[in-house]
Amino acid sequence: MRKLFIFIFRIRAFLVFLLLEGVSIYLLYRSNTYHSAAFYQSSNYYVGRVLEIQSQVADYFRLTEVNQALAQENAQLRAQLTQIQEQKLNDSLGVLKDSVFVQVRARDPKDSLQASRDSLEELVFTYRPARVTSNSVRGLNNHLALNVGSDAGIRPGMGVLTANGIVGRVKAVSKHYATVTSLLHSQTLISVKLKRNKSLGSIKWDTENPETASLHYIPLSEKIFKGDSVVTSGAGGIYPPGIMVGRVISVRKELDKSFYTIVVRLSVDFEKLSYVYVVENKRKPELDSLLVQSGITEENE
């Protein structure tokens, strides 16, 4: 404390100068309209800039919370969109000629509206947002880890995707985490179809390039073009039908093969995965039970 007083005493002249300078500036702006207006305009500008920077800093530290909220909202919207697409697909099946079609009509328009709402609420596919905690893309058998587990309703076998396309399938879960077998895995095989002509095939990652995969089992009788969209077929009930997988970038005919050799550029950038959706088909247990009763397994399908 003594040293502080000694220091202040040494610079007393400078402190008096600053005090007098401040008083003179105050009197100048107080008695002069032009200077007063300029001062308040400048002060408002700098105060506004400080507040803007403060707001940007606060928003930056809230990005994680905002991203989680957006991911949750997108999951709900994606589930509703999938349900609407399912309804449109069912409505487009049409009715056979000379067949009997019975339509149940609601007596009250309000009942019809309520039935429509109930059909949307009974979603077949539900989505849960998750954050990728680890990811590999350079190995032969690549995996991901997610920050959700059994507490969030995640179970082995569920599909994983992003807004851009297919990512993989849940392999194992703990209470708070889950591991995912990536599409970039030598044993991953996904049933797909060409969007343009509905030709069925399978996607397998055997190109050793995280940006591409091979499309198998498309017969030579089909017409395939570069740029054709490849989407999920919905077979197996893991993924909803029509989810983007990639686009055809090369097509070759082999003399000793009855199928095309097709390379597809994947729609998902696996090196930049941050948030994903875990998709659950609520009717899959029923489908699996029926397949078991029928003696149909993945090995002999």
Side-chain angles (χ1 to χ4, degrees):
M1 184 63 68
R2 181 172 174 272
K3 292 182 179 180
L4 177 60
F5 285 124
I6 294 174
F7 175 75
I8 294 175
F9 181 76
R10 288 179 179 177
I11 62 170
R12 62 187 184 280
F14 179 70
L15 294 177
V16 172
F17 168 76
L18 290 181
L19 177 62
L20 295 177
E21 187 73 17
V23 171
S24 62
I25 293 175
Y26 172 77
L27 293 176
L28 175 65
Y29 284 98
R30 183 75 173 177
S31 59
N32 190 301
T33 304
Y34 172 79
H35 289 85
S36 178
F39 171 76
Y40 282 113
Q41 183 177 359
S42 300
S43 63
N44 288 336
Y45 170 78
Y46 288 110
V47 169
R49 287 293 298 168
V50 170
L51 293 176
E52 181 181 357
I53 295 173
Q54 180 183 358
S55 177
Q56 291 175 351
V57 172
D59 290 342
Y60 176 80
F61 285 104
R62 290 181 59 251
L63 283 179
T64 301
E65 179 183 350
V66 171
N67 286 338
Q68 291 176 349
L70 289 175
Q72 185 67 42
E73 182 180 358
N74 287 339
Q76 296 173 357
L77 293 175
R78 179 171 287 274
Q80 294 178 4
L81 178 61
T82 302
Q83 181 71 3
I84 292 173
Q85 290 174 343
E86 287 281 327
Q87 291 178 350
K88 287 183 178 179
L89 181 62
N90 293 335
D91 293 342
S92 65
L93 293 177
V95 182
L96 293 176
K97 189 176 180 180
D98 299 330
S99 64
V100 178
F101 177 69
V102 179
Q103 182 178 5
V104 179
R105 298 183 180 274
R107 297 180 180 178
D108 190 344
K110 294 182 179 180
D111 295 339
S112 177
L113 179 60
Q114 183 62 38
S116 177
R117 290 177 178 175
D118 292 341
S119 65
L120 282 178
E121 291 176 358
E122 297 176 358
L123 299 174
V124 177
F125 291 94
T126 58
Y127 297 79
R128 295 177 176 86
R131 182 170 55 85
V132 178
T133 58
S134 66
N135 180 24
S136 62
V137 297
R138 300 300 177 184
L140 179 62
N141 299 315
N142 296 290
H143 293 83
L144 299 88
L146 308 180
N147 69 333
V148 292
S150 58
D151 276 3
I154 307 301
R155 298 192 304 274
M158 289 184 175
V160 180
L161 49 83
T162 69
N164 296 324
I166 298 299
V167 173
R169 186 175 179 180
V170 175
K171 181 178 182 181
V173 297
S174 64
K175 191 173 182 179
H176 301 108
Y177 297 96
T179 58
V180 177
T181 301
S182 173
L183 190 154
L184 307 182
H185 192 288
S186 62
Q187 302 301 317
T188 297
L189 199 66
I190 298 177
S191 177
V192 297
K193 64 182 178 181
L194 291 169
K195 188 175 182 180
R196 181 176 53 81
N197 58 13
K198 314 302 181 185
S199 298
L200 294 175
S202 296
I203 280 286
K204 185 173 183 180
W205 186 65
D206 51 12
T207 63
E208 299 183 357
N209 182 350
E211 297 180 354
T212 61
S214 296
L215 174 57
H216 297 270
Y217 311 124
I218 302 296
L220 298 178
S221 58
E222 299 290 343
K223 292 184 178 181
I224 313 298
F225 302 97
K226 290 183 180 180
D228 279 350
S229 298
V230 180
V231 298
T232 54
S233 66
I238 299 174
Y239 306 101
I243 300 298
M244 190 68 176
V245 177
R247 293 186 181 276
V248 174
I249 58 174
S250 72
V251 183
R252 279 199 330 271
K253 288 184 178 181
E254 305 287 348
L255 296 177
D256 57 342
K257 295 181 179 180
S258 57
F259 300 103
Y260 286 105
T261 299
I262 304 173
V263 178
V264 174
R265 181 172 298 281
L266 300 174
S267 58
V268 173
D269 188 348
F270 283 85
E271 294 182 329
K272 296 181 180 179
L273 286 178
S274 179
Y275 281 89
V276 296
Y277 300 104
V278 182
V279 57
E280 175 189 8
N281 182 353
K282 293 185 177 180
R283 296 180 182 173
K284 192 173 189 309
E286 178 185 350
L287 175 61
D288 293 341
S289 176
L290 179 62
L291 292 177
V292 170
Q293 292 178 13
S294 304
I296 301 174
T297 63
E298 292 182 357
E299 288 75 19
N300 60 21
E301 270 187 321

